[in-house]
Amino acid sequence: MEINSIDIFCEVIDNYGDVGVAYRLAREFKRVYPNRKLRFIINQTHEINLIKKSEDVEILTYKDIFKIENPADLIIETFACNIPDEYMDKALKNSKFIINLEYFSAEDWVDDFHLQESLLGGNLKKYFFIPGLSKKSGGILLDNEFLERKKKVEKNKQYYLEKFGINKKYDLTGSVFSYEKNFDSLIK
């Protein structure tokens, strides 16, 4: 099946969590498939405007959904967000399939639901992609930017340990996920 276009839908629920994952997925798709049409469709733009790194990904809002004449071949519905009816009416006729990207889970039930199919009407099918830890669940997104940063940190591990004043030798080190934010303006 040939996929020439991708629409990724996201509803901002809790600040940067949902939009961060969905936008990182969009950027990675654009990097890997630069010649495919890709749109990122979001219910509000405040958070995306704070984290977007370039203009490579076309961003539309839910209120501009009427501008989309042709829905994508592949639709990615992040975290069971609501896709507007106006779009879905067209998608039922023209799109190839939908993937509902769910939240990461280590629970046992994931093995029974990952990649399950849901009929939506017509020929359009929805598949549930659930990242998890077992061999039956989906994988996790490790985008190229993350892997490049990881290589730099590993290469310069001793420098970073010294920079942060960690002088003892530890057999286990780890990293903590966080958002980039310049807090200097908040501290007075």
Side-chain angles (χ1 to χ4, degrees):
M1 175 185 310
E2 190 171 337
I3 302 296
N4 293 310
S5 57
I6 304 167
D7 284 343
I8 299 175
F9 282 84
C10 177
E11 283 185 310
V12 177
I13 303 296
D14 62 353
N15 295 324
Y16 301 102
D18 299 332
V19 70
V21 170
Y23 182 63
R24 192 167 64 242
L25 176 66
R27 282 196 345 253
E28 190 65 9
F29 266 123
K30 192 64 175 173
R31 186 190 69 77
V32 174
Y33 304 107
N35 298 324
R36 299 228 168 72
K37 181 177 174 104
L38 185 134
R39 293 179 291 218
F40 187 79
I41 305 159
I42 188 166
N43 66 329
Q44 59 189 43
T45 58
H46 177 73
E47 285 82 0
I48 192 74
N49 288 332
L50 293 173
I51 66 172
K52 73 179 177 181
K53 294 187 173 193
S54 71
E55 300 298 326
D56 291 347
V57 175
E58 179 183 358
I59 298 173
L60 295 169
T61 63
Y62 275 38
K63 65 182 176 188
D64 292 328
I65 204 81
F66 69 91
K67 294 179 182 177
I68 298 176
E69 292 182 28
N70 298 309
D73 295 331
L74 167 61
I75 302 164
I76 300 176
E77 170 187 82
T78 58
F79 314 118
C81 67
N82 292 312
I83 297 176
D85 291 338
E86 183 175 349
Y87 181 94
M88 281 305 297
D89 290 342
K90 296 173 190 173
L92 287 169
K93 298 173 190 165
N94 300 314
S95 296
K96 296 181 179 175
F97 65 101
I98 296 178
I99 295 174
N100 177 17
L101 172 63
E102 277 298 337
Y103 296 99
F104 177 88
S105 178
E107 297 180 38
D108 292 338
W109 64 267
V110 168
D111 290 348
D112 295 327
F113 287 92
H114 174 65
L115 296 182
Q116 287 298 310
E117 179 181 314
S118 176
L119 298 174
L120 299 174
N123 294 324
L124 188 60
K125 295 178 182 177
K126 180 192 293 190
Y127 296 91
F128 294 87
F129 187 92
I130 308 171
L133 298 174
S134 77
K135 291 181 180 180
K136 291 183 179 181
S137 65
I140 58 172
L141 175 66
L142 291 176
D143 62 85
N144 193 54
E145 289 178 25
F146 168 78
L147 295 174
E148 290 300 318
R149 286 190 313 268
K150 182 177 181 272
K151 284 181 192 175
K152 287 179 185 176
V153 169
E154 287 172 348
K155 183 179 175 184
N156 298 305
K157 179 179 176 181
Q158 192 59 41
Y159 166 79
Y160 285 107
L161 290 173
E162 289 172 11
K163 180 179 177 178
F164 293 109
I166 301 171
N167 299 320
K168 295 182 180 180
K169 298 288 183 196
Y170 294 98
D171 63 340
L172 179 66
T173 57
S175 63
V176 176
F177 172 79
S178 66
Y179 296 103
E180 291 180 35
K181 179 70 175 162
N182 183 350
F183 290 104
D184 292 342
S185 63
L186 300 176
I187 301 170
K188 298 189 186 221

